[in-house]
Amino acid sequence: MSDHQAIAARHAALPAFSPSVPAGLLPYLAFLLLTATFALAFYFSTLPKDKIPIREAAVASLASVLGGVGVVALFCTAGVYL
Amino acid sequence: MVPHWRRRLPLLLLSLLCPSFASAHSFENTAIVRTIDLGGSLVHVTTTYAVKALEDGAGVYTLALAERELKRTSWLEAKIKGQQNILAMESAGFDGESGVYLFSVELPETLRTNGTANLVVEAIETHATYPWPEEAGQKDGQSLKYETDLFVVSPYKTSVERIKIKSPSPNILSYSTPEGLDEFTMEIPVTKSGATITYGPFSNIPATADATFLKPKQKEVAVHYNYDHPVIEVTELKRSAEISHWGANLNIEDKIHLHNAGPKLKGHFSRLEHQASTFLGRMPPHVLPSLTLHLPPNIRSPYYYDLIGNVSTSHLRVGHLPAQQSSLLEVRPRYPLMGGWNYSFTLGWDSPLADYAGYDKSTGKYVIGVPLMTLVPGAVVGDAEVTIILPEGATDVDFFPPFTPIQSYVKTHVTYLDTVGRPAIILEYKDLTTKHAGTVYVMYKVPLSAHLKKPLAVATAFMGLFVLGFAVRRMDVRIQKK
């Protein structure tokens, strides 16, 4: 069990875990990102139908990415820690 | 038994070199004192050996445990009296004829001829006591019986030996007086003083770890004593610790099956009688109305529910570091536990991950220490299964349990917003005692790409909806074309 003692000592000496996004910011991030997703989705619905849908694709991708991070932040805010 | 031994290769080689049943080195026990602290489901046995080496360079002492003793022992630890270091111990074989199991203990320093040392061996026995009488009415008392072999089993000669049995209350109903011990003592073999029964002193006992002594001369003693607290057993414990990097959170959930191992309830349960005894403050000793658990500090969002639903009869006082080292949770089961009754419930809480995990920049690995179990005071845990669920995409997983589990494996656990699933480490244990409350350390790596898998999965779902919208916008669903 000297292995165990060694890792226990190492664990005690390491800096504590800190998330890439501070946990306190998550509710606000969720709100902002999801509002942006909603706004962009609405904008997407008003776009003209082009032959080569570059604008539609761009808006859709941006809205998806923001929505993705927003939903993950929403889950964490609601207490379902992913 | 969950061994708490440090395995050392040299000892293994030594036992290969000396395969004979007799010990590796020659010692003599100048004195042995065994103290048995009786309890409910746990019995604490402390044996102090004053040993004298009979040859030069004696460094390995052999301990012996009889079959019943070994089956009941869940924790075995040897130290030198006054020192903190746990001595390395290894299994050294089994003698079929006498049914004795041997363990070699490595002394910190080899002894010269006639050199002495004081060895303190601590053992915790589980399932060693049983309620006697086996049934009791709601208002009756509770008494337990403990049976053990009298002489300490040892492969060396012993000059003087004393066995003390301490009961938790001075109310001892009966204890056995062994006969035929004239060979070892000229006085009365047993004396009782308050709550302590002393067998001995016995002199000039030969090596007891062989059949020529054990079969004819080993005596069995039994103590029947009153026990004033409920005898609690956790028959099954399932602990699940889920690590979340996005939420910086560690969720621990315990599924506990409680069993009152006291005398079975005779007759029916009278709520009226129970209310009366609660009101008068005179609860019978075998009834368990509530449980006090010590949870880690800084916890939030605790939940306590059972098969029926949420149980509101609990009170939590959260402890905040550094002033308080733990949070206190008073749990009141849905019904008071009478003798022989069971109650299963789920208890869980969230705690900040920073309290448990650290990040090693040099290797890029996270190290987390997860406590093995919640201590239910004085209880033995029959079957324990500890699951540690790592974040999705964790690689280079390495785990270090405090004691060797019976079985350990890694499987995939799928939960919310998972695409490929998360690695989950499962450790299985049996017969854990209050001394087994250690920490499991896990080392793992989570690359950024794995971390971003979740938002990407949700983004893909959103994109799918947008593509659908894109297609729907271009479909003409008018009934009449203009």
Side-chain angles (χ1 to χ4, degrees), chain A residues 1 4 7-8 10-11 14-17 19-20 26 44-45 47 49-50 53 56 63-64 67-68 71 80-82, chain B residues 6 244 249 350 354 356-360 366-367 369 400 402 416 422 439 441 443 451 454 459 463 466 470 473-474:
Chain A
M1 296 303 132
H4 189 257
I7 191 147
R10 194 163 153 203
H11 175 256
L14 287 175
F17 171 85
S20 32
L26 284 171
F44 172 86
S45 66
L47 285 172
K49 286 176 268 205
D50 297 328
E56 282 179 86
S64 304
V71 166
V80 181
Y81 295 100
L82 306 164
Chain B
R6 282 204 227 96
S244 161
N249 184 68
D350 287 328
Y356 294 89
Y359 181 60
D360 191 352
Y366 293 93
V367 185
F400 305 88
Y416 302 102
R422 318 161 167 233
T439 313
Y441 290 100
M443 279 171 56
H451 196 53
K454 274 205 207 329
M463 197 61 188
F466 279 116
F470 171 88
R473 291 177 79 208
R474 282 162 175 72

Side-chain angles (χ1 to χ4, degrees), chain B residues 233-386:
Chain B
E233 256 181 41
V234 177
T235 44
E236 204 180 307
L237 169 69
K238 281 199 168 66
R239 169 165 275 213
S240 154
E242 191 166 323
I243 304 167
S244 161
H245 277 208
W246 272 107
N249 184 68
L250 177 70
N251 170 277
I252 295 184
E253 190 175 288
D254 281 333
K255 285 188 162 54
I256 298 175
H257 292 246
L258 269 186
H259 173 69
N260 185 333
K264 289 195 177 28
L265 182 67
K266 192 162 60 177
H268 61 265
F269 169 61
S270 161
R271 178 60 72 167
L272 191 63
E273 237 173 72
H274 177 71
Q275 295 287 71
S277 49
T278 317
F279 180 71
L280 294 169
R282 269 185 266 135
M283 192 67 71
H286 57 94
V287 176
L288 180 72
S290 67
L291 210 55
T292 306
L293 300 171
H294 287 266
L295 302 181
N298 290 344
I299 63 175
R300 42 173 199 240
S301 313
Y303 50 94
Y304 165 42
Y305 63 85
D306 62 14
L307 203 62
I308 296 169
N310 180 52
V311 187
S312 57
T313 50
S314 65
H315 181 57
L316 174 70
R317 276 194 284 269
V318 181
H320 296 283
L321 288 171
Q324 290 135 338
Q325 296 292 318
S326 64
S327 306
L328 201 72
L329 178 68
E330 281 154 24
V331 159
R332 185 175 281 269
R334 222 177 259 282
Y335 46 84
L337 250 75
M338 297 283 145
W341 287 15
N342 299 302
Y343 181 64
S344 351
F345 61 96
T346 305
L347 181 63
W349 60 88
D350 287 328
S351 17
L353 191 59
D355 284 352
Y356 294 89
Y359 181 60
D360 191 352
K361 255 203 196 122
S362 55
T363 52
K365 282 190 164 189
Y366 293 93
V367 185
I368 185 167
V370 178
L372 205 59
M373 61 180 198
T374 308
L375 267 184
V376 179
V380 55
V381 179
D383 284 310
E385 188 187 281
V386 179

Side-chain angles (χ1 to χ4, degrees), chain A residues 9 32 43 46 53 74:
Chain A
L32 283 166
Y43 179 53
T46 61
L74 180 71

